[in-house]
Amino acid sequence: VEENLRLWNEMKAGSEEGVACAARFKIDMSHNNGCMRDPVAYRCNVNTPHHRTGTKYKVYPTYDCACPFVDAHEGVTHALRTSEYADREDQYIWIQKAMGLRKVHIWEYSRLNLEYTTLSKRKLQWFVDEGHSTGWDDPRFPTVQGVTRRGLKVEALKEFMLSQGASKNCNLMEWTKIWAMNKKIIDPIAPRHVCVADEDRVVVNVLGFPDGEHWYTTPKHKKNPDVGIKVTLRMKEILLEQADAQLISEGEECTLMDWGNAIFKNIVKEGDVVKSMDCEINPEGDVKSTKLKLTWLANWKELVPVIMKDFDYLITKRKPEETDEFKDIVNKTTEIVTVARGDGNLRAYNKGEIIQIERKGYFIVDRVYVNEAHPMILLNIPDGKKASWGVGAK
């Protein structure tokens, strides 16, 4: 006893001898449960200052030692603990009984596990420290800050968590479920807009259309007039994405969304790349008869420069294990960037607002448009249909 008290005082002093020691509960070294074999109760910590008391104290209780005391002292009736702590329940009960503390009931439930994801704060810290993320609010992070920055509504997060219940079954959840819940919330209220990717975009000459700028008003959301109206510009020259232009055959009739049908002709190609084409509006055309429904923008000098970002998972393994070295399963390419031009209505949106880019998906405004040097940044919001959080698991 005297020697233990001497060493305890050395621990409290933070001496070299004390730092080498740990205080343990004397229970039973032959117990079937390894957590009951005289577990460590206190350790020294002289290197990391406490955020409130600084370096005043040199000895701190372990998590397993502190919880039974804190829960009993603070009036907790039921301690909600995830199933990985099941082996430690005997220790929790022993401590409260041995120290004469009020009994606290333990309610065990399964930990939330998500595919291609780690929820460990220690492991997420590794991604921050190693430069694989931009911080704790990185839109690829499974933190509340991260998923809300990515466009997850708090209502969807609550709905998802309530749907899990307090089950004891260990499940590996898919992100598609939570994003599908989110889509149901944002789809009825997200304004619709158009962006055309810059790379190899095609200028189309609209035959017979008058010169100048022709402005029209259209609803921001065809099924919800309460969302408001936007202005649409039609001009003699319009822009199509290269991927769309490659699908159009000579003489084919296609639908220009929010305009009408048009017959395409005089398609000029260099190899597989479409360089230019003409079209002629067909007012009598039936939009139900066309195979291709195309988004487009007037070739206007005031279009809004936009950077659209999509994301993949940070790790390549669907179900990471505790023994995994994250440097071996880290995904090297997790951000996919598309540079584009958007319609002029995008100037009106603020950071954090959610919109839909026609035929591209839902996006949240991460940075507002300032000028050419500071374009608008939109982050893609998964819609629950894709096979993964982002582009696709490797």
Side-chain angles (χ1 to χ4, degrees):
V1 173
E2 290 77 12
E3 177 63 7
N4 275 326
L5 287 174
R6 186 187 72 79
L7 291 173
W8 175 249
N9 286 323
E10 291 296 324
M11 288 179 67
K12 291 198 295 181
S15 68
E16 185 176 349
E17 184 181 21
V19 169
C21 297
R24 300 162 67 180
F25 288 117
K26 186 173 177 61
I27 305 179
D28 182 1
M29 286 299 290
S30 62
H31 201 285
N32 289 334
N33 185 343
C35 294
M36 297 293 281
R37 297 171 191 167
D38 294 5
V40 173
Y42 288 88
R43 285 193 179 94
C44 283
N45 184 353
V46 297
N47 296 320
T48 307
H50 191 275
H51 65 286
R52 290 200 183 100
T53 57
T55 58
K56 180 178 180 180
Y57 300 107
K58 315 297 182 188
V59 180
Y60 290 92
T62 62
Y63 181 87
D64 288 330
C65 172
C67 283
F69 284 93
V70 173
D71 290 350
H73 175 71
E74 293 189 345
V76 172
T77 58
H78 293 72
L80 309 181
R81 292 158 68 95
T82 48
S83 53
E84 70 259 33
Y85 294 106
D87 289 345
R88 301 176 185 273
E89 288 184 17
D90 290 343
Q91 185 187 130
Y92 183 100
I93 295 168
W94 183 92
I95 292 171
Q96 290 188 339
K97 185 175 180 180
M99 303 308 296
L101 300 171
R102 180 181 59 83
K103 181 181 179 180
V104 177
H105 296 279
I106 295 176
W107 185 278
E108 179 184 313
Y109 63 97
S110 63
R111 177 173 177 165
L112 174 64
N113 296 299
L114 290 160
E115 60 178 2
Y116 300 100
T117 304
T118 177
L119 294 171
S120 164
K121 292 184 289 295
R122 175 175 54 84
K123 291 175 180 177
L124 290 174
Q125 184 70 56
W126 180 85
F127 282 96
V128 175
D129 293 341
E130 295 297 316
H132 295 295
S133 74
T134 56
W136 288 92
D137 66 343
D138 191 296
R140 294 162 292 189
F141 258 29
T143 56
V144 174
Q145 283 184 320
V147 294
T148 53
R149 182 182 173 193
R150 181 78 188 271
L152 185 69
K153 304 294 287 185
V154 173
E155 301 95 307
L157 181 59
K158 287 181 178 178
E159 182 183 348
F160 176 74
M161 296 312 300
L162 289 172
S163 71
Q164 304 312 301
S167 170
K168 295 184 179 182
N169 296 324
C170 293
N171 298 313
L172 183 66
M173 301 300 298
E174 296 181 346
W175 278 101
T176 51
K177 181 178 180 180
I178 190 170
W179 290 117
M181 289 178 175
N182 193 61
K183 179 186 175 181
K184 290 180 180 179
I185 296 172
I186 65 176
D187 180 71
I189 57 175
R192 274 50 170 167
H193 293 282
V194 175
C195 284
V196 172
D198 280 1
E199 186 176 5
D200 292 328
R201 66 189 178 205
V202 180
V203 178
V204 180
N205 182 40
V206 183
L207 299 174
F209 195 75
D211 294 334
E213 300 176 0
H214 303 269
W215 295 92
Y216 302 83
T217 58
T218 55
K220 289 183 177 179
H221 194 304
K222 290 182 175 63
K223 296 181 180 179
N224 185 0
D226 292 338
V227 176
I229 61 172
K230 62 183 178 180
V231 289
T232 300
L233 174 62
R234 297 173 187 172
M235 295 177 65
K236 191 176 181 63
E237 287 186 347
I238 62 173
L239 303 175
L240 292 183
E241 290 198 346
Q242 178 66 215
D244 284 341
Q246 290 184 11
L247 299 175
I248 302 172
S249 303
E250 182 74 27
E252 183 176 4
E253 184 170 350
C254 306
T255 298
L256 296 175
M257 295 172 65
D258 289 330
W259 194 337
N261 283 9
I263 299 170
F264 286 80
K265 56 185 73 174
N266 303 325
I267 299 174
V268 177
K269 291 186 177 181
E270 289 184 6
D272 292 331
V273 178
V274 177
K275 303 303 290 185
S276 67
M277 58 173 60
D278 298 334
C279 77
E280 189 172 4
I281 302 298
N282 179 16
E284 307 302 321
D286 181 6
V287 297
K288 294 181 180 179
S289 67
T290 57
K291 180 176 68 173
L292 297 178
K293 320 293 184 188
L294 307 172
T295 47
W296 56 276
L297 286 174
N299 190 15
W300 186 45
K301 62 181 179 180
E302 298 296 334
L303 294 176
V304 177
V306 176
I307 295 175
M308 296 186 291
K309 294 185 178 182
D310 200 357
F311 302 96
D312 205 349
Y313 296 115
L314 285 171
I315 55 179
T316 58
K317 190 172 182 180
R318 184 171 183 264
K319 186 179 180 181
E321 308 292 341
E322 279 294 324
T323 55
D324 285 328
E325 287 285 343
F326 272 79
K327 62 181 178 63
D328 298 328
I329 60 173
V330 65
N331 192 351
K332 299 297 194 300
T333 305
T334 56
E335 183 178 279
I336 298 88
V337 175
T338 301
V339 180
R341 297 280 155 166
D343 68 71
N345 300 277
L346 295 178
R347 287 178 170 82
Y349 291 100
N350 298 315
K351 182 179 174 67
E353 292 191 278
I354 291 175
I355 60 176
Q356 185 188 69
I357 301 300
E358 298 275 13
R359 299 174 60 226
K360 296 185 184 300
Y362 303 93
F363 291 81
I364 185 169
V365 179
D366 196 52
R367 189 176 75 185
V368 299
Y369 165 74
V370 179
N371 52 39
E372 283 286 338
H374 295 84
M376 183 179 229
I377 295 180
L378 299 176
L379 306 184
N380 176 260
I381 305 172
D383 58 10
K385 292 182 179 179
K386 295 179 182 179
S388 75
W389 164 295
V391 177
K394 299 294 186 290

